Amino acid sequence: MLWTVGSLLSVILVVAAVVGWWAHGLVDQVGALSKDVRDTQGDLTTIPSAQQAAIALVVGSDRRPSDGSAPSRSDTLMLVRIDPGTKLISVLSLPRDLYVPINGVCCSKINDAYSQGGLKLALQTVKEVTGIRPNYLMTVDFGGFKKLVGAFKGVYIPVDQRYHHDNALGGDQYSEIDITPGYQQLDGPDALAYARFRHTDSDFYRNARQQVFMEAFEQRASSQLNGVGLEELQTFKAVAEDVAGSVQVTGPNGAPSLQTMIRYLSLGYQIKGRVVSVKLDAAIGGDTTNSYVTSDPDAISRARYAFMHPDTVITPKDELPGKADGPAEPTFKPRVEPTTVPMTIVNGNGVQGAAATAGTALTEWGYPATVSLQPATTTFAQSIVFYRPRMKDAATDVADIVGDARTQRMTPEMAPFSTNGIVLVVGETFKDTLKIPAPKKVINGGLPDDITRDPTIYRSTFRAAQGPANFRVYYPTVYQNVSHLCPLNCPSASSSDPAMWLYTIKDAGGGKNSLYAYFSYNGLAGSYWGIQQTRFTGAPILANPDQERKLDRRTYKFYFNGSHIHMVAFIQGGVAYWVQNTLRDDMSNEDMIAIARSLKPA
């Protein structure tokens, strides 16, 4: 969270000549460390150079007044990496119910480490589970974030579904919440309730909501940096004081200096918006009385690699239809037709299933790949494509597709793996994905195979909203085969609940100027995607698209989350329309594009 706050704190600290009378005091306040924080310093790793990436472990606790003398639990465990070289920030959230060994004893939920041994044991456990060695530890007081949001008079958040729970109704007793769906401005208590909610889905979606909140906060802060006057400085001062009172920060040698904070927070502002959210593949286990989350070593290894190398995460810009402004990037075309190139794939990195994964991906290119049951006798640091005479071009194609691989003439040791083709030895540089994925194939009249064209299925429902709306309502002329339009209180809706939410955003003028319709995806709890329509064309969420394309006489704006398209938007007739993916980006990139392009006036 502190890195995202860098978009405003950097301004405060860089203009310290103007507000220097309190800047040093705030740094001292952040550096007023508790004994629990100081005890972790010996377990943090020194950064050898200012040009190297810095990693912080952010820990937030969920102590409640009713807990009495009971130990606190780590409500949030989040690793954040900021890299001056690639100008990228990567974020990896660890589910608090992740089932792991703690202090050599197997196994407990990872948040128990904080309860058993404080921050020191929590840090040690994260290092052992992930193999990542943080340079900084940050502790967070969530109550302070209510003040933080309040200092900006609320934060605009794309709420994916209806969140409602009232303890007076009986049943499960947990935090009360009442937030309607759609893009809206939330105050501090509601924003925190949204970010911490998890009672009807899982920690996976809770982590995703926290990252949505972080991004929304960064957008809100950035939108207020257009000119710094006396009024803005007063806001920044209030915000900085709230942060200083809510956060403790330490490195291996104690709290960071003012100069260090200026350097990193200024860097955070420079690269704002270039955030890669890394998803840890995991599964829910246990029973109704003790549920937990498990993740195998391969999944943790993949997440660690993506977190440490966010520049290798493939963005989906090559999957977008149309042409971007400026020179188009050439599409890769193999020199030799893949179907004519026999290939054997050998495991050379010791990771179980690595050769099979590479084989499956390469068959999508058309290569008749065979996976060897016999691994290589030694470990290969880099993937190598061995080739026979007259097959060098084919080997170069495969090396380019695999990525971070080289070619080499066939050796006697590799020749037995293939009598007439090339041999790909999968090395440690291969991380389950090809550098150049196979071109996507579409069917069904140009639509993805899970999208069906039907201009009538939603038309009457959206037309019913046209009367009270003071803007042109659009509806999708296709449907996603495993999605269902949700009434307002889905999945526990009654017959009287409206089919979609028509409401007012204050910054968009008067009347019913906004509409949000959301859809459940594949029956997954917590998995909802939506169609937003609003007169709020200056919404912070629309700033800084990753790509733009001119199609269908519209200019589409594409917003990426790593290798996924998270949102597709366009503005027409003074109205902003966008399709937003589920919290965990469950819908494919092709589906997102197809639905956005299908929107027509109701």
Side-chain angles (χ1 to χ4, degrees):
M1 186 61 188
L2 190 61
W3 292 128
T4 64
V5 178
S7 62
L8 54 108
L9 284 187
S10 60
V11 175
I12 303 169
L13 296 174
V14 170
V15 296
V18 180
V19 291
W21 62 273
W22 55 266
H24 282 278
L26 293 180
V27 174
D28 291 342
Q29 190 174 348
V30 171
L33 306 178
S34 66
K35 181 181 183 303
D36 197 21
V37 173
R38 292 197 304 272
D39 288 345
T40 66
Q41 293 171 357
D43 298 319
L44 296 168
T45 302
T46 302
I47 305 172
S49 166
Q51 298 305 312
Q52 291 190 332
I55 299 173
L57 172 63
V58 182
V59 181
S61 67
D62 67 344
R63 171 165 288 282
R64 304 178 180 92
S66 60
D67 289 342
S69 60
S72 297
R73 295 169 293 271
S74 52
D75 186 69
T76 297
L77 288 172
M78 183 181 295
L79 288 161
V80 183
R81 181 180 183 273
I82 184 168
D83 192 341
T86 62
K87 297 292 191 295
L88 286 171
I89 296 173
S90 52
V91 179
L92 173 60
S93 295
L94 300 175
R96 70 178 192 172
D97 292 344
L98 187 64
Y99 210 50
V100 298
I102 296 178
N103 211 15
V105 178
C106 184
C107 283
S108 302
K109 297 178 181 180
I110 195 169
N111 70 332
D112 288 341
Y114 185 50
S115 304
Q116 296 175 20
L119 291 168
K120 185 177 180 66
L121 184 56
L123 172 62
Q124 174 187 320
T125 303
V126 170
K127 290 167 60 175
E128 290 175 352
V129 169
T130 66
I132 297 169
R133 301 176 64 83
N135 312 110
Y136 292 98
L137 174 76
M138 300 181 184
T139 64
V140 180
D141 171 9
F142 283 110
F145 285 124
K146 295 180 184 178
K147 300 178 184 177
L148 194 63
V149 173
F152 280 91
K153 298 179 175 60
V155 172
Y156 275 101
I157 293 178
V159 181
D160 58 308
Q161 57 168 302
R162 177 75 191 280
Y163 292 93
H164 181 258
H165 177 74
D166 185 349
N167 285 334
L169 299 178
D172 293 338
Q173 301 292 297
Y174 53 85
S175 299
E176 294 188 344
I177 187 171
D178 189 1
I179 301 175
T180 52
Y183 190 68
Q184 60 190 286
Q185 192 173 18
L186 299 183
D187 61 15
D190 279 345
L192 187 61
Y194 165 81
R196 300 184 67 195
F197 185 87
R198 72 166 187 151
H199 295 282
T200 59
D201 39 54
S202 68
D203 253 356
F204 303 130
Y205 291 98
R206 175 196 184 99
N207 290 343
R209 277 187 287 271
Q210 291 177 349
Q211 293 178 358
V212 168
F213 173 58
M214 289 174 62
E215 185 174 356
F217 185 86
E218 190 268 340
Q219 291 166 349
R220 179 67 167 171
S222 299
S223 70
Q224 295 197 7
L225 296 182
N226 296 322
V228 180
L230 291 177
E231 182 179 348
E232 288 80 7
L233 285 176
Q234 287 298 318
T235 299
F236 297 155
K237 179 178 181 296
V239 169
E241 288 171 343
D242 283 337
V243 171
S246 307
V247 175
Q248 293 185 72
V249 186
T250 190
N253 301 312
S257 66
L258 175 63
Q259 291 74 21
T260 299
M261 290 184 70
I262 290 174
R263 175 163 51 84
Y264 278 116
L265 296 175
S266 297
L267 177 62
Y269 174 65
Q270 294 170 29
I271 63 180
K272 65 182 187 296
R274 301 195 67 200
V275 179
V276 176
S277 299
V278 178
K279 183 168 65 175
L280 175 65
D281 293 328
I284 298 175
D287 52 38
T288 55
T289 59
N290 184 31
S291 63
Y292 50 80
V293 172
T294 60
S295 186
D296 61 52
D298 287 349
I300 293 175
S301 177
R302 290 193 299 270
R304 178 176 61 244
Y305 187 85
F307 175 78
M308 299 295 291
H309 304 87
D311 52 309
T312 65
V313 176
I314 301 171
T315 61
K317 61 184 179 180
D318 291 335
E319 300 176 25
L320 304 183
K323 295 182 179 180
D325 294 335
E329 295 185 13
T331 302
F332 179 81
K333 184 177 181 180
R335 303 166 185 81
V336 180
E337 169 57 38
T339 57
T340 66
V341 182
M343 179 196 314
T344 300
I345 303 176
V346 180
N347 191 325
N349 63 14
V351 177
Q352 185 175 0
T357 299
T360 299
L362 286 165
T363 56
E364 294 180 3
W365 274 97
Y367 288 100
T370 300
V371 177
S372 172
L373 298 178
Q374 182 69 32
T377 55
T378 59
T379 299
F380 285 68
Q382 185 182 27
S383 298
I384 302 177
V385 186
F386 294 90
Y387 64 90
R388 288 183 167 79
R390 297 186 300 277
M391 300 190 75
K392 184 175 182 179
D393 284 348
T396 301
D397 288 340
V398 174
D400 289 342
I401 291 171
V402 172
D404 203 2
R406 62 183 177 88
T407 61
Q408 182 177 329
R409 288 289 295 268
M410 188 69 70
T411 63
E413 292 80 13
M414 292 296 113
F417 285 104
S418 177
T419 58
N420 64 341
I422 62 177
V423 175
L424 165 63
V425 180
V426 176
E428 293 178 345
T429 53
F430 179 71
K431 300 298 178 182
D432 290 343
T433 58
L434 303 178
K435 179 180 179 182
I436 307 176
K440 299 292 183 180
K441 299 178 181 180
V442 295
I443 58 175
N444 192 23
L447 294 175
D449 57 1
D450 58 351
I451 294 285
T452 301
R453 193 180 307 280
D454 187 337
T456 64
I457 185 171
Y458 298 123
R459 183 167 55 195
S460 61
T461 305
F462 279 79
R463 275 185 177 175
Q466 182 62 79
N470 66 359
F471 59 93
R472 191 67 180 270
V473 173
Y474 279 40
Y475 78 104
T477 56
V478 301
Y479 68 87
Q480 205 282 336
N481 294 354
V482 296
S483 297
H484 302 281
L485 181 63
C486 274
L488 177 60
N489 288 303
C490 182
S492 302
S494 67
S495 58
S496 60
D497 288 323
M500 59 194 65
W501 185 235
L502 192 60
Y503 64 107
T504 300
I505 295 178
K506 183 177 63 174
D507 289 337
K512 300 295 185 183
N513 56 37
S514 302
L515 178 150
Y516 182 73
Y518 66 105
F519 301 73
S520 66
Y521 178 80
N522 204 26
L524 299 174
S527 186
Y528 299 94
W529 60 273
I531 298 174
Q532 179 73 55
Q533 308 180 31
T534 179
R535 284 194 175 275
F536 191 17
T537 56
I541 198 172
L542 297 174
N544 305 316
D546 294 292
Q547 291 284 314
E548 292 189 0
R549 292 287 192 273
K550 293 182 179 179
L551 304 161
D552 317 319
R553 290 188 281 188
R554 299 171 181 165
T555 298
Y556 290 91
K557 304 173 187 290
F558 295 88
Y559 303 81
F560 303 157
N561 180 17
S563 60
H564 301 280
I565 295 175
H566 183 69
M567 194 173 86
V568 184
F570 64 92
I571 296 175
Q572 195 158 342
V575 181
Y577 303 87
W578 69 77
V579 178
Q580 67 187 44
N581 211 330
T582 68
L583 287 169
R584 287 173 57 83
D585 295 317
D586 297 302
M587 280 216 303
S588 71
N589 296 341
E590 295 82 8
D591 286 2
M592 290 289 294
I593 295 170
I595 294 168
R597 295 186 68 178
S598 82
L599 294 178
K600 297 292 187 289

